[in-house]
Amino acid sequence: MDLEFSDSEKRFRDEARAWLEANVPRTPLKSGDSREGFAEHVVWEKKLHAARWSVVSWPAKYGGRDASLVEWLIFEEEYYRSGAPIRVTQNGIFLLAPTIFEFGTEEQKERILPAMSSAERLWAQAWSEPEAGSDLASVRSHAERVDGGWKVYGQKTWTTRGAFCDGIYGLFRTDPNSERHKGLTYLLVDLNQPGVTVRPVERIDGDESFAEVFLDGAFVPDTNVLGGVNQGWKVAMSTTSSERGLSLRSPGRFMKAADRLVDLYQRRPDPGLRDRVTRAWMDAQLYRLYTFQTVTRMIEGGEIGADSSLNKIFWSEMDIRLTETALELLGPDAELLGGSPHAVDDGDWMLDFEFALAGPIYAGTNEVQRNIVAGRVLDLPR
Amino acid sequence: MRFSFTEEQRQMRDALRSSLTESCPSGRVRAAWKTPDAALRIELAEQGILAINLPEDAGGLGLGAQDWVLLAEELGLVAAPVNLIETLATNPTLAAIGALDLASQVGTGAEFVALEEPGGFALDADKAAGILAVRDGRVGWLRDATLIAETSVDGTRRPFKVDGRFEAVDADATDLLDRAALVAAAELVGLSRRMLDLAVEYSKSRRQFGKPIGSFQAVQHHLVDALQRIAFAAPAVYRAAWSVDTNHPNRSVHVSMAKVYASEAALFTGRKALQVHGAIGYTFEYDLHMWMKRAWTLSSAWGDVRHHTDRVGQFVMSGGQDA
Ligand SMILES: Cc1cc2nc3c(=O)[nH]c(=O)nc-3n(C[C@H](O)[C@H](O)[C@H](O)COP(=O)(O)OP(=O)(O)OC[C@H]3O[C@@H](n4cnc5c(N)ncnc54)[C@H](O)[C@@H]3O)c2cc1C
């Protein structure tokens, strides 16, 4: 066991920290889940890319630095520590990209990845449908074979930032006689074309971040089939396990949140809540330890597997405890939104709390995660 | 950055696991409720475990917490009726004060050095060659001690209220108590794992409504929640072992985190395991209660959740950084 960072890991951290300190916008950007804010975030993403900080763990030829998993975690810690903007590219770089690395052709890698890392093309996830939530295998959207590709029909929903992105990825039934997990294909669909209607939907926090995507004969060329026709389920499962496992919520995010909470406590001390603030700090540290343990296992040749579900349950429930504690510290001020004269920290805690509440729902609900662990880790009967 | 045990460390763990599976079934734990199990100390001594963290000139292996933490977990797994905490905690203290003869006797199992839990009790103090204690932040011997025998809910534990003339020695009290808390935390992880195993196995065999109860989602989620706490407590314990060995400046914070999460995992898993068992788990005849009771005692001993949370809180609130 060696829990010290190596000299080169330390240099990597110093370099990231120095760049971020010099470049992170001084005034916070508008919400990346609003149209205006999204555009500001894309400008920031381009700046990150120009300095080769947008996708550190990717190969250099696609815009990365070939950083190790440990270095990637270090970068994430520094990123959040610096107060840098949220990543509007995340559903591309953290969720679609790992799937392309695993299943994509060379042509797909060369075409899609550089444009993703440079934020020229932004991607949204389109799994959910009105009738297919937790039960993703019941998707109804389908694709019909045409010359050189497919025409897609159906409706996707809850597509985060779908109203601002350029493309979506999701599952479509390509074999009309198939059922459930079979006969599905993982397709990348360009949103800027006839046959696509995107309708923004406001979330609980008022941002138009959700979208409904209506597809009526939009074209998908064969080159946008990822991982083979009728192979979609297997390919999609690889994305969902990176989402829950490592990439979606790195420890740095919660370490920063915990530090902000400690800072809030120090400004508004309430001895009755001290232990809860301490606990939030410990939880974030614990999540970090768990993650380093997972990363070590992966470096030594192991897999994330089904215990990525344990991970997802932990971070999502930790986030709620943390933000609830902040609201209790704020007491009557908790309800004040940004811009309100007496709002504390610009009302961010309420927004953070609202977003934390979504954690046990998205990326596979926590009930479903518990089912997965019960079946695959504890081997309990159905 | 490499957060995993070495091949040797895992092999030592595996070797101990297979020997304990043979030698320490639950019947032996049950027997120790009636008659203290003196032989187990000797058996562990023969495997080098009581001397694992003694220096070589005291007949020890000169190994550290990273080497014994998995072994302590194994002893927890079988709820071994043996006071490992005192021995692993006091061994380095005995070495530090030059009590090498006594230390080597402890290592062979011939002698036992008791350790008073601050504000609490000293186990097996009546059989001890000496009783170490911490008073006002200092380590010392309790000489000419008077002992009052108490009765624990865990029948394998023999606690004594002790008092005596305090004879200070030159040793670090925080280190000593941190080691005790860390051994306890490791045992708690082992206890938790076994309680979960018992409940998982039971849920596969017990049938109601025509199905194994383990197929009911409410039962499954109880078990998953316990697994999650154990899975997250373990790295806190392993990290603390590394911090103790490397004398990390925040090692006490790390030990406290280990003790908090391991205690909670064990208490939580005990409750969930009992619930999944129903009434059979509530009987004296079934094994679960022996593990639960050990979990109750170890989670409150050597600093409970409140104590250790408060210690971390002092660090965090005074601007402590740990990244
Ligand atoms: C903020 C946010 C962002 C999102 N972003 C996206 C996105 O970008 N792209 C996308 O495709 N989707 C997105 N989603 C949708 C998300 O993936 C779904 O909400 C999720 O899969 C659950 O589906 P559902 O909402 O239809 O709930 P349902 O599946 O209808 O579930 C409702 C309740 O029933 C429970 N339940 C269902 N099945 C079971 C079962 N077998 N056992 C036990 N309990 C069960 C669920 O746990 C839940 O509590 C987002 C959601 C949120 C909240």
Side-chain angles (χ1 to χ4, degrees):
Chain A
M1 210 179 281
D2 180 7
L3 304 186
E4 278 300 341
F5 294 106
S6 69
D7 287 343
S8 72
E9 286 161 351
K10 286 182 189 152
R11 277 196 303 277
F12 181 86
R13 184 189 290 280
D14 291 343
E15 198 187 340
R17 182 174 294 190
W19 188 85
L20 288 161
E21 269 169 13
N23 289 283
V24 166
R26 297 260 173 273
T27 41
L29 309 184
K30 293 204 182 67
S31 165
D33 289 315
S34 66
R35 186 170 292 278
E36 239 185 326
F38 185 80
E40 292 179 9
H41 279 72
V42 171
V43 173
W44 162 250
E45 286 288 342
K46 296 199 153 129
K47 189 166 181 178
L48 268 178
H49 171 257
R52 280 201 309 123
W53 290 112
S54 70
V55 286
V56 294
S57 60
W58 291 16
K61 66 174 170 174
Y62 304 127
R65 292 180 177 238
D66 294 291
S68 68
L69 276 175
V70 172
E71 287 169 333
W72 175 72
L73 288 169
I74 290 172
F75 175 75
E76 288 281 300
E77 289 181 7
E78 291 304 320
Y79 190 84
Y80 283 102
R81 184 181 171 278
S82 73
I86 64 146
R87 303 296 303 274
V88 293
T89 48
Q90 72 167 23
N91 290 349
I93 60 175
F94 293 150
L95 306 179
L96 174 56
T99 315
I100 293 182
F101 281 118
E102 192 173 343
F103 295 97
T105 62
E106 278 312 306
E107 184 278 324
Q108 286 174 327
K109 289 180 193 165
E110 272 161 37
R111 175 165 49 93
I112 300 168
L113 295 174
M116 189 189 290
S117 69
S118 62
E120 278 154 55
R121 285 184 63 78
L122 284 97
W123 292 91
Q125 303 191 83
W127 308 115
S128 304
E129 298 182 1
E131 301 302 325
S134 299
D135 184 13
L136 183 58
S138 65
V139 288
R140 294 185 179 180
S141 296
H142 71 280
E144 288 173 11
R145 188 77 195 137
V146 294
D147 203 24
W150 301 82
K151 286 206 162 190
V152 289
Y153 300 87
Q155 182 190 346
K156 299 288 181 179
T157 189
W158 317 130
T159 312
T160 294
R161 292 187 282 271
F164 323 129
C165 285
D166 306 291
I168 54 171
Y169 50 97
L171 289 177
F172 293 82
R173 197 159 293 285
T174 36
D175 176 354
N177 301 317
S178 66
E179 274 180 23
R180 306 286 303 160
H181 310 83
K182 302 204 181 84
L184 298 171
T185 300
Y186 192 122
L187 297 180
L188 311 179
V189 185
D190 188 351
L191 289 176
N192 307 310
Q193 61 165 314
V196 177
T197 310
V198 179
R199 195 176 76 85
V201 176
E202 280 184 34
R203 293 193 314 201
I204 207 174
D205 56 9
D207 275 343
E208 285 195 339
S209 175
F210 278 151
E212 290 176 315
V213 179
F214 300 90
L215 300 164
D216 187 17
F219 180 66
V220 178
D222 284 330
T223 48
N224 275 6
V225 172
L226 190 57
V229 174
N230 297 337
Q231 302 299 310
W233 187 259
K234 186 181 76 189
V235 182
M237 287 306 106
S238 110
T239 304
T240 56
S241 96
S242 21
E243 180 174 20
R244 287 167 210 143
L246 270 183
S247 54
L248 184 62
R249 294 289 177 256
S250 67
R253 177 186 181 110
F254 302 105
M255 289 160 67
K256 171 69 174 189
D259 284 346
R260 284 172 52 222
L261 182 68
V262 170
D263 175 66
L264 179 66
Y265 181 88
Q266 279 162 340
R267 284 179 281 140
R268 304 173 66 112
D270 175 347
L273 292 170
R274 185 174 181 270
D275 280 359
R276 288 197 24 215
V277 174
T278 303
R279 177 59 65 108
W281 183 90
M282 289 199 288
D283 280 350
Q285 291 289 325
L286 188 66
Y287 183 53
R288 182 184 198 227
L289 288 176
Y290 188 82
T291 304
F292 278 123
Q293 190 183 258
T294 306
V295 161
T296 301
R297 200 173 67 225
M298 290 172 73
I299 291 169
E300 292 176 353
E303 302 252 313
I304 299 196
D307 62 42
S308 65
S309 295
L310 287 178
N311 213 43
K312 199 256 155 166
I313 298 168
F314 187 84
W315 62 249
S316 56
E317 295 177 1
M318 151 172 79
D319 202 16
I320 292 180
R321 290 193 296 273
L322 192 158
T323 52
E324 274 177 350
T325 305
L327 296 188
E328 283 192 50
L329 279 173
L330 289 171
D333 296 339
E335 68 175 282
L336 302 181
L337 295 181
S340 184
H342 288 91
V344 178
D345 296 342
D346 204 28
D348 278 350
W349 288 109
M350 181 54 81
L351 294 183
D352 290 349
F353 169 67
E354 286 181 331
F355 191 61
L357 289 180
I361 301 174
Y362 64 77
T365 71
N366 285 14
E367 288 75 19
V368 169
Q369 303 310 320
R370 286 181 165 90
N371 296 347
I372 293 173
V373 176
R376 301 211 207 129
V377 182
L378 294 179
D379 196 25
L380 293 171
R382 279 179 169 273
Chain B
M1 169 61 62
R2 195 179 62 83
F3 194 4
S4 61
F5 288 96
T6 63
E7 200 50 44
E8 287 88 3
Q9 286 160 347
R10 285 179 237 199
Q11 278 165 4
M12 287 200 308
R13 189 248 335 255
D14 294 346
L16 182 61
R17 179 173 298 178
S18 47
S19 90
L20 287 172
T21 311
E22 283 282 302
S23 68
C24 194
S26 66
R28 185 165 182 180
V29 183
R30 191 172 288 275
W33 277 60
K34 293 220 171 64
T35 320
D37 191 329
L40 188 53
R41 278 195 84 75
I42 306 293
E43 291 168 31
L44 293 179
E46 281 164 358
Q47 296 175 63
I49 291 169
L50 300 185
I52 188 167
N53 62 343
L54 283 174
E56 281 164 27
D57 51 4
L61 299 176
L63 297 174
Q66 291 165 85
D67 305 295
W68 55 249
V69 72
L70 290 178
L71 307 183
E73 191 177 317
E74 289 306 308
L75 288 161
L77 200 71
V78 298
V82 67
N83 300 331
L84 187 75
I85 296 176
E86 289 79 350
T87 301
L88 291 182
T90 58
N91 273 349
T93 306
L94 296 178
I97 62 175
L100 293 185
D101 280 348
L102 178 56
S104 63
Q105 301 273 30
V106 170
T108 62
E111 295 286 5
F112 171 67
V113 170
L115 175 62
E116 183 199 43
E117 192 216 324
F121 309 95
L123 300 187
D124 290 332
D126 59 333
K127 297 182 190 151
I131 305 169
L132 279 171
V134 172
R135 297 282 160 91
D136 302 322
R138 306 195 62 192
V139 184
W141 295 106
L142 285 182
R143 299 294 192 199
D144 311 320
T146 53
L147 311 180
I148 303 170
E150 310 278 356
T151 309
S152 171
V153 65
D154 174 355
T156 67
R157 285 166 65 91
R158 301 174 59 253
F160 289 84
K161 195 77 192 166
V162 291
D163 203 4
R165 185 168 46 80
F166 185 73
E167 185 187 301
V169 298
D170 190 15
D172 189 317
T174 307
D175 272 359
L176 173 63
L177 296 179
D178 278 353
R179 278 193 301 272
L182 177 57
V183 187
E187 287 193 34
L188 284 160
V189 169
L191 288 162
S192 307
R193 291 197 200 279
R194 174 53 53 85
M195 290 190 288
L196 178 61
D197 286 349
L198 280 173
V200 166
E201 287 317 309
Y202 185 75
S203 79
K204 290 177 183 170
S205 61
R206 168 73 175 166
R207 297 175 73 88
Q208 286 292 281
F209 301 98
K211 294 177 181 174
I213 56 165
S215 65
F216 299 125
Q217 206 170 54
V219 169
Q220 294 185 344
H221 290 193
H222 281 317
L223 297 170
V224 169
D225 287 344
L227 172 67
Q228 199 215 304
R229 294 196 190 218
I230 301 167
F232 277 79
V237 173
Y238 304 155
R239 186 266 297 261
W242 175 81
S243 302
V244 163
D245 283 347
T246 57
N247 227 355
H248 192 281
N250 296 340
R251 65 190 175 281
S252 291
V253 172
H254 298 170
V255 167
S256 284
M257 272 184 63
K259 185 64 169 52
V260 165
Y261 287 108
S263 298
E264 283 190 349
L267 294 175
F268 185 86
T269 305
R271 270 197 339 262
K272 295 297 182 184
L274 176 60
Q275 188 65 21
V276 166
H277 277 87
I280 186 90
Y282 202 72
T283 62
F284 204 80
E285 198 183 325
Y286 195 77
D287 288 339
L288 179 63
H289 78 97
M290 296 192 290
W291 271 254
M292 287 173 63
K293 287 168 182 169
R294 186 74 55 79
W296 300 342
T297 59
L298 290 188
S299 59
S300 70
W302 310 107
D304 61 7
V305 169
R306 267 195 66 191
H307 168 89
H308 284 289
T309 304
D310 188 61
R311 197 162 71 149
V312 179
Q314 284 168 26
F315 171 81
V316 173
M317 298 307 168
S318 63
Q321 290 290 326
D322 195 19

